[in-house]
Amino acid sequence: MLLPKVRPLRRSTLASLLVLLVGLVGCGRTNVVSIDGSSTVFLLSAAIAEEFNEVSPDVKVVVSQAGTGGGFKKFAAGEIQICDASRPITEAEAAACKKNGIEFIKLEVAFDGLAVVVNPANDWCDSITTDQLKTIWRAEAAQSVMKWSDVNPDWPDIELELYGPGTDSGTYDYFTEVINGEAKSSRQDYSPSESDNALVQGVAGDKGSLGYFGLGYYAENTDKLKLLSVDSGDGPIIPTAATVRDGTYKPLARPLYLYVRQDALRNEGVVKYLNYYLDKVNDVSPRVGYVPVPDEVMEANRKTLDAAVPRVAVN
């Protein structure tokens, strides 16, 4: 059976089809909101995005987790619209944004405590001091503090296996600054990952392990991990919603942020998602192990967003 000849599309017809596809995207039928950055804030943004995508199927929110530093690199390059951040933007990152003509707003969306965890089989350590954490994690500890007994002679001669965020992580920056005294100053002979789930699996699989990451990942894996209290000089404190909010879990409590490109606020899908985010985040935060922001912070967030939307809309 002979098939009828199919005439190739003329260039003018192809051009018309491309215009139609662009028009469909502009109409919001394939409206994509792009988010990347902190693996800590990922828990919040992904949970809210999942709910939002169900109620607003015309807007697709895609959330990734390259770490805060990795997210800011993409943000400054104009590759993403929103950056999840577990620390404030640095001067260098802000300068990169300015160089590329990218203005932004900052929203403070939750509080987090960093969890210091060990394997559940660890029966010798229930609490750790900030000085002991520095002994373990300072740069000079590489290849010298290798066993638990090197930290405390009362602890056993068991190999100390360390797990922590990679160098692009805002959690890494924050932890090294408040524990070691300088951001990014840390021993490098440990098992790093930008995925907190990978860190959970590492600690859960090794009796001599110790690791740190956002409290939300401990909350999701309480059956696999043992949470340590941290003593900064006023006695051991376990991270909870109350101790994170009131600051007694120090120095490992911190705010979490969204950074939003102002030009992205021309996109109705982005604005719609952010309004939904602010409506839902205080309800979602406790479900993923974080602490809601107080009413005055949420009011400031709304004022910041409301003020930015009309200003870019008229440009």
Side-chain angles (χ1 to χ4, degrees):
M1 178 180 177
L2 294 177
L3 295 176
K5 290 184 178 180
V6 179
R7 296 177 59 187
L9 291 175
R10 293 179 298 176
R11 289 189 178 184
S12 59
T13 305
L14 286 171
S16 298
L17 288 173
L18 288 173
V19 170
L20 176 60
L21 288 172
V22 171
L24 289 175
V25 172
C27 291
R29 296 183 187 179
T30 53
N31 195 339
V32 177
V33 179
S34 56
I35 306 174
D36 207 335
S38 166
S39 59
T40 302
V41 189
F42 171 84
L43 286 178
L44 272 178
S45 295
I48 294 172
E50 184 176 358
E51 294 182 8
F52 177 77
N53 285 333
E54 291 179 359
V55 299
S56 300
D58 58 316
V59 182
K60 180 67 174 177
V61 182
V62 179
V63 189
S64 301
Q65 46 178 328
T68 299
F72 275 131
K73 289 175 186 175
K74 295 181 180 182
F75 188 74
E79 297 173 7
I80 57 173
Q81 296 159 319
I82 299 171
C83 182
D84 288 339
S86 58
R87 57 162 173 79
I89 193 170
T90 66
E91 290 184 5
E93 290 162 345
C97 289
K98 184 176 181 179
K99 180 181 178 181
N100 293 329
I102 292 175
E103 298 181 348
F104 55 81
I105 61 171
K106 179 178 72 174
L107 306 174
E108 186 175 318
V109 293
F111 293 102
D112 177 36
L114 298 190
V116 180
V117 298
V118 295
N119 187 278
N122 181 322
D123 58 3
W124 59 89
C125 180
D126 299 314
S127 178
I128 195 164
T129 68
T130 50
D131 285 342
Q132 287 170 333
L133 286 172
K134 184 175 183 179
T135 295
I136 293 169
W137 286 101
R138 73 193 194 283
E140 296 79 9
Q143 304 304 320
S144 62
V145 180
M146 306 300 292
K147 297 181 179 180
W148 282 89
S149 56
D150 294 332
V151 184
N152 183 337
D154 294 332
W155 291 341
D157 291 330
I158 292 178
E159 293 292 327
L160 183 61
E161 302 292 342
L162 298 176
Y163 296 85
T167 56
D168 269 345
S169 168
T171 301
Y172 172 85
D173 292 342
Y174 184 82
F175 183 89
T176 53
E177 181 173 0
V178 299
I179 295 299
N180 296 337
E182 181 182 352
K184 296 187 181 299
S185 174
S186 172
R187 67 189 297 169
Q188 296 302 310
D189 58 335
Y190 72 100
S191 298
S193 179
E194 305 300 344
S195 168
D196 288 331
N197 284 320
L199 300 179
V200 168
Q201 295 304 316
V203 175
D206 195 322
K207 182 179 180 179
S209 61
L210 180 142
Y212 69 91
F213 39 74
L215 184 59
Y217 284 90
Y218 167 75
E220 288 190 341
N221 297 278
T222 55
D223 58 328
K224 300 176 183 177
L225 304 168
K226 176 181 173 180
L227 181 65
L228 300 185
S229 59
V230 174
D231 186 349
S232 61
D234 297 321
I237 301 293
I238 283 282
T240 64
T243 60
V244 168
R245 183 189 287 277
D246 66 20
T248 55
Y249 183 64
K250 57 185 180 181
L252 295 178
R254 59 180 176 167
L256 304 176
Y257 306 98
L258 296 184
Y259 283 79
V260 185
R261 279 174 33 204
Q262 286 194 343
D263 62 346
L265 295 174
R266 295 190 182 97
N267 184 319
E268 292 183 3
V270 173
V271 176
K272 192 174 181 181
Y273 172 68
L274 288 172
N275 278 312
Y276 187 88
Y277 201 115
L278 296 183
D279 285 343
K280 297 293 184 179
V281 67
N282 275 358
D283 293 329
V284 174
S285 292
R287 300 207 307 259
V288 295
Y290 300 144
V291 179
V293 298
D295 291 342
E296 57 268 24
V297 172
M298 186 56 67
E299 183 179 351
N301 284 334
R302 292 197 174 281
K303 287 181 178 179
T304 297
L305 180 59
D306 291 345
V309 172
R311 184 162 70 86
V312 298
V314 297
N315 288 342

